[in-house]
Amino acid sequence: MTLVLVTTSPRVAPGLLSGRAWAVLKDGPVLTGTPDHPALPYLAEEGVAVEVVTPDAAALARRGTEGDVVWLASPEGDEALMRAVGHAALALPEPPVIEVVPGSYDLPGSRVLDLVTVMDRLRRSCPWDRKQTHESLVPYLMEEAYEVLETIEEGDHAALREELGDLLLQVVFHARLAQERPPDEGGFDVDDVAAGIVDKLVRRHPHVFSGTAVSGADEVSDNWDTIKAAERAAKGWESLLDGVPMGQPALSLANGLQSRAERAGVPSSLARAVGQGVGRELFDLVGRARAAGLDPEAELRAAARDYRDRVRAWERSRGSGG
């Protein structure tokens, strides 16, 4: 006398069930409390009869004492119902054996599908989300990226999870907006975004995906630069600096330009006496930081945090009468 609970994932195609799940479902009898369960059409195709009943924990537990029975849980899992079934079974003189058989499993990354689904509903049903554009979302994208940076700098790994989620939302939001345009007008969807970065990573890591032998990280970096140069040529970019995002913070921009030029063998003399006044001094300072193996943006941010802490300490001392 066994009550078998078959669970399924809403993030996996409903007809893709484990062999064990198919076996117990075909042995039956099968009950469910979900009349629109996505697996029902596939079970019907295989001749598996499913009886839709009103969920009743006590009745289900008693049914399990009368013989083997299978409960096809809703895609959400029927967790509360199963807890109640367990309590009801323990109250019986001869409780049934309760077995859980996973019909399908979530793969890593499957919860991203939930985010795509939620974003699609928000775009259709929320007045604020409906009126957004790529341009109107730019401030949020920048803000979320900087909040991720701040949690990393502060070593707040617990907060990092939440901030990465906020940043991921921006990526999915922009992809959802682009989905509304036809392909010939630059339209794409989140799968196109994922496919593009997958192709790029595979292409730029031949030592991982194509059997190319490398001696170490330095050779990996050299291969990366060679592959990126070929990609720039394929895009028709004329300058080695094409593709450097000019909208990034100025210190990072100067650092990126100098770094890319240096790797391409541009004479270092071109970086001297650039600009005028304070701009020239700052650009030269970036070069000095790079020569010392330092990230100028990170160094200035560290100094800014130090200054912030000093101001806060000064404020506290004034508040305490210091």
Side-chain angles (χ1 to χ4, degrees):
M1 299 181 293
T2 303
L3 171 60
V4 182
L5 168 66
V6 175
T7 61
T8 58
S9 169
R11 304 169 194 92
V12 176
L16 299 178
L17 299 176
S18 65
R20 173 65 177 152
W22 274 114
V24 298
L25 288 166
K26 288 183 177 181
D27 285 343
V30 183
L31 309 177
T32 187
T34 311
D36 58 348
H37 196 294
L40 293 182
Y42 299 91
L43 296 175
E45 287 181 3
E46 296 299 319
V48 177
V50 180
E51 180 183 358
V52 179
V53 300
T54 300
D56 184 324
L60 188 56
R62 287 194 302 272
R63 181 73 178 266
T65 65
E66 300 168 359
D68 294 344
V69 63
V70 180
W71 179 262
L72 177 61
S74 72
E76 288 70 36
D78 289 347
E79 182 177 349
L81 174 65
M82 288 304 106
R83 282 199 300 268
V85 168
H87 290 305
L90 291 175
L92 296 173
E94 295 185 17
V97 174
I98 300 178
E99 179 185 358
V100 178
V101 175
S104 54
Y105 303 84
D106 284 346
L107 297 174
S110 61
R111 295 308 296 270
V112 176
L113 298 176
D114 292 346
L115 176 57
V116 172
T117 300
V118 169
M119 186 66 254
D120 183 66
R121 183 170 180 179
L122 291 175
R123 182 63 174 172
R124 289 184 285 106
S125 304
C126 174
W128 187 89
D129 290 282
R130 277 204 307 266
K131 75 175 186 178
Q132 299 310 309
T133 65
H134 291 300
E135 293 73 19
S136 70
L137 290 175
V138 167
Y140 304 102
L141 176 62
M142 299 296 295
E143 179 181 356
E144 301 301 351
Y146 280 121
E147 288 183 356
V148 169
L149 175 59
E150 183 175 3
T151 60
I152 293 174
E153 291 177 341
E154 300 291 342
D156 191 347
H157 294 161
L160 179 59
R161 170 186 170 182
E162 178 180 352
E163 298 303 340
L164 285 173
D166 292 340
L167 184 58
L168 179 59
L169 169 60
Q170 295 302 309
V171 175
V172 174
F173 205 154
H174 280 279
R176 180 60 180 81
L177 297 183
Q179 184 179 330
E180 299 169 8
R181 299 192 299 269
D184 59 356
E185 295 180 15
F188 55 85
D189 59 22
V190 69
D191 287 321
D192 295 321
V193 174
I197 190 60
V198 166
D199 290 345
K200 182 182 292 186
L201 289 173
V202 171
R203 184 171 62 249
R204 292 185 180 180
H205 292 80
H207 55 287
V208 175
F209 299 101
S210 300
T212 299
V214 294
S215 58
D218 289 342
E219 189 172 355
V220 170
S221 181
D222 291 341
N223 288 345
W224 182 281
D225 290 337
T226 300
I227 294 169
K228 288 183 66 175
E231 292 173 353
R232 289 195 294 271
K235 292 179 179 179
W237 289 351
E238 298 180 355
S239 170
L240 62 92
L241 298 182
D242 287 343
V244 175
M246 299 298 290
Q248 62 184 301
L251 282 179
S252 296
L253 174 61
N255 184 45
L257 292 170
Q258 292 184 27
S259 177
R260 182 175 291 189
E262 180 182 277
R263 292 198 304 271
V266 173
S268 59
S269 59
L270 295 183
R272 293 195 290 269
V274 171
Q276 298 179 348
V278 175
R280 174 181 296 185
E281 295 176 13
L282 289 172
F283 198 84
D284 289 343
L285 192 59
V286 169
R288 286 170 50 194
R290 293 188 59 260
L294 302 174
D295 180 344
E297 181 76 17
E299 293 299 310
L300 184 56
R301 290 183 62 83
R305 289 197 305 275
D306 185 31
Y307 177 67
R308 176 203 60 188
D309 294 341
R310 293 187 182 192
V311 170
R312 287 178 175 175
W314 175 78
E315 289 175 324
R316 288 194 297 270
S317 69
R318 284 172 58 86
S320 61

